[in-house]
Each structure stands twice: as structure tokens, then as C-alpha cells.
Amino acid sequence: MPRDERPLQADLNDPALPAALVSGELELLGLLPNSSNYTFLARATSGDDQVLAVYKPRRGEMPLWDFPEGTLCRREVAAYVVARELGWPNVPPTVLREGPEGLGSTQLFVEFDPSQHYFTLEGTHAAEFRRVALFDMVVNNADRKGGHCLLAPDGTIWVVDHGVCFNEEPKLRTVIWEHVGERIPADLLDDVRALRERLRPSALRSELDELLSSDELNALDERIDSVLATGVFPEPGPGRPYPWPPV
């Protein structure tokens, strides 16, 4: 079976991954509205364990001119893996697995306040959004909309929708440009430096190698080196720096 058609063996040592999410039976509850690709709310059940999940099947991805066809679900998982290793930002646990509509990313559903988004939260959560901005630089996020930033009932900010990350070419499109020219906090640079060390031949690199091409992994290395060399939040560009719509 070609690599892009087979599931990825989830890291069973990851305590954030519920067993039901990894291998439970998926029951589709309905399509989520306002999605450009087929995105389902699902119930994952394993014995007595049950969680809600967001399931994005590969076959429901709309083709894009600048991303290889059928790869968005793997990029969703790769973004979770990088966030897990950095320790920030909060990306819901995400795995690549089979479901009722075939192979796809399956992400733990997080309860959130639909009235809140980046533009309502930025003024009170600047430190958290610096982490999001730096994460988006590292993963080359081409679509950080304000509505991808969710406020949970306990005050946690979660970020979702990472299917168009990790392009080889610079693609950073985001609504988070408030920190242009600022020095990146030293503790965050330390985390990025530690990620670079863990990305040398290792289990982590093998995990990402199952999700991204070798050229995309090399580009990830280069972006990390650039972040560490400059140590500042960049100016917008090249290309169109804002997503549309912004929310």
C-alpha cells in the first residue's frame, strides 16, 4: 500500500491520545458547517471510553494547486506532532487512521465558545498568541484565520485547522502580525532549539517522515534555523500575507 494511503502508527506513549481516538469505532454524527473540505463530527468509542472527534477524510479534500493532492490530513497530524514536541501551542490530539470514509485525520473535539476568536482574544492573551505566531512560522502555516483560535470553557486557547502547513516554499498567511520586529522571547527560542536537536535522526524524525516529504522536512529544518538565527518575528511576505476570510 502506498505511504499516502496507509494509517500512521500512533505514538501510544503519548498520554494525550485517548484510546478511543486512536482505535475506537468512529460513528459519523454529521458534517460540520462552513468547511472547505468534508469535515465530520464523529463519536469514537472503545469499550466504555467515548470521545467526540473531528474527522477529515482524505477523499474529501479539495485539490489545491500548491499542495500535493491527498496530503492535508497528514499535515494536520504533523502539526500536532510539532506542537506536542514544542510544548505549545495547544493543538488538540490528532491521529491518522481509518474511518467510515477511509483514511483521514481524526482530532479530539474541544468544546469552545463560538463567539470568541483571535480578534476578541488577542488583547487579553498576547503571550499565548506569540506562541501561536512562532508555531505558525515554524510549520509555515498558510491559513491562520482568526476563527481557528478557540476559547475553551476553562480559558484554554486551542488552535485548529492545520491542513495547509509545511509547504516547501514560504507560505505564511496569518492574521497574527501584531508582533512584527519584536524579539522572540528567550524561553520560546530555547524550545525551538530543543526541537531542532530532537529532529536529528530520531524517532521524532521518523514519525514526521511518515507524514511529510523529505523536501518538506528539510524546509522545516531550514525554517527552524532561520528562526534561531534572526530571533525576531518577521515582516509580512513574501506573497499574500493574510488569509481570506480573516475569521
Side-chain angles (χ1 to χ4, degrees):
M1 180 182 294
R3 184 178 73 169
D4 63 354
E5 296 179 5
R6 69 172 186 257
L8 176 72
Q9 179 61 46
D11 183 356
L12 298 181
N13 295 318
D14 183 346
L17 291 177
L21 188 74
V22 174
S23 57
E25 180 180 356
L26 279 186
E27 175 192 359
L28 302 186
L29 302 179
L31 281 168
L32 292 175
N34 304 319
S35 297
S36 56
N37 300 297
Y38 278 91
T39 302
F40 294 91
L41 180 65
R43 181 184 292 113
T45 304
S46 178
D48 294 332
D49 295 328
Q50 192 175 92
V51 297
L52 290 178
V54 177
Y55 167 56
K56 298 182 178 182
R58 179 175 177 266
R59 68 175 63 171
E61 296 176 3
M62 295 289 289
L64 299 173
W65 70 268
D66 52 350
F67 283 84
E69 188 172 347
T71 66
L72 305 191
C73 57
R74 290 181 177 271
R75 297 169 194 277
E76 291 272 8
V77 181
Y80 167 68
V81 170
V82 171
R84 181 194 72 199
E85 294 299 315
L86 283 169
W88 45 262
N90 297 306
V91 176
T94 313
V95 298
L96 189 72
R97 54 160 295 174
E98 288 288 341
E101 296 297 323
L103 184 71
S105 64
T106 306
Q107 184 173 85
L108 187 68
F109 176 83
V110 293
E111 186 180 352
F112 65 98
D113 181 347
S115 70
Q116 300 293 319
H117 47 72
Y118 173 72
F119 297 105
T120 66
L121 296 167
E122 187 277 330
T124 53
H125 295 78
E128 182 63 30
F129 285 118
R130 283 186 181 88
R131 297 185 188 96
V132 176
L134 181 52
F135 172 75
D136 287 342
M137 291 165 57
V138 169
V139 302
N140 196 18
N141 191 351
D143 191 36
R144 173 62 72 207
K145 294 182 174 70
H148 296 166
C149 306
L150 311 179
L151 180 66
D154 66 358
T156 300
I157 291 177
W158 295 89
V159 288
V160 298
D161 286 338
H162 298 105
V164 288
C165 294
F166 299 104
N167 200 293
E168 300 165 43
E169 299 177 4
K171 293 278 185 181
L172 183 61
R173 289 192 286 266
T174 177
V175 296
I176 308 176
W177 290 111
E178 279 75 11
H179 310 296
V180 168
E182 285 185 13
R183 298 293 303 177
I184 298 170
D187 60 327
L188 301 187
L189 287 176
D190 287 344
D191 291 339
V192 174
R193 191 172 293 108
L195 173 65
R196 181 180 64 178
E197 292 304 311
R198 291 197 292 275
L199 275 171
R200 301 185 190 280
S202 63
L204 171 61
R205 196 168 192 90
S206 296
E207 187 177 7
L208 288 172
D209 186 57
E210 290 291 319
L211 298 164
L212 304 171
S213 72
S214 59
D215 287 342
E216 289 165 346
L217 266 178
N218 290 337
L220 173 62
D221 292 334
E222 292 169 4
R223 288 193 301 273
I224 290 172
D225 287 341
S226 177
V227 165
L228 294 173
T230 62
V232 299
F233 289 100
E235 299 278 345
R240 177 169 61 87
Y242 297 98
W244 188 261
V247 177

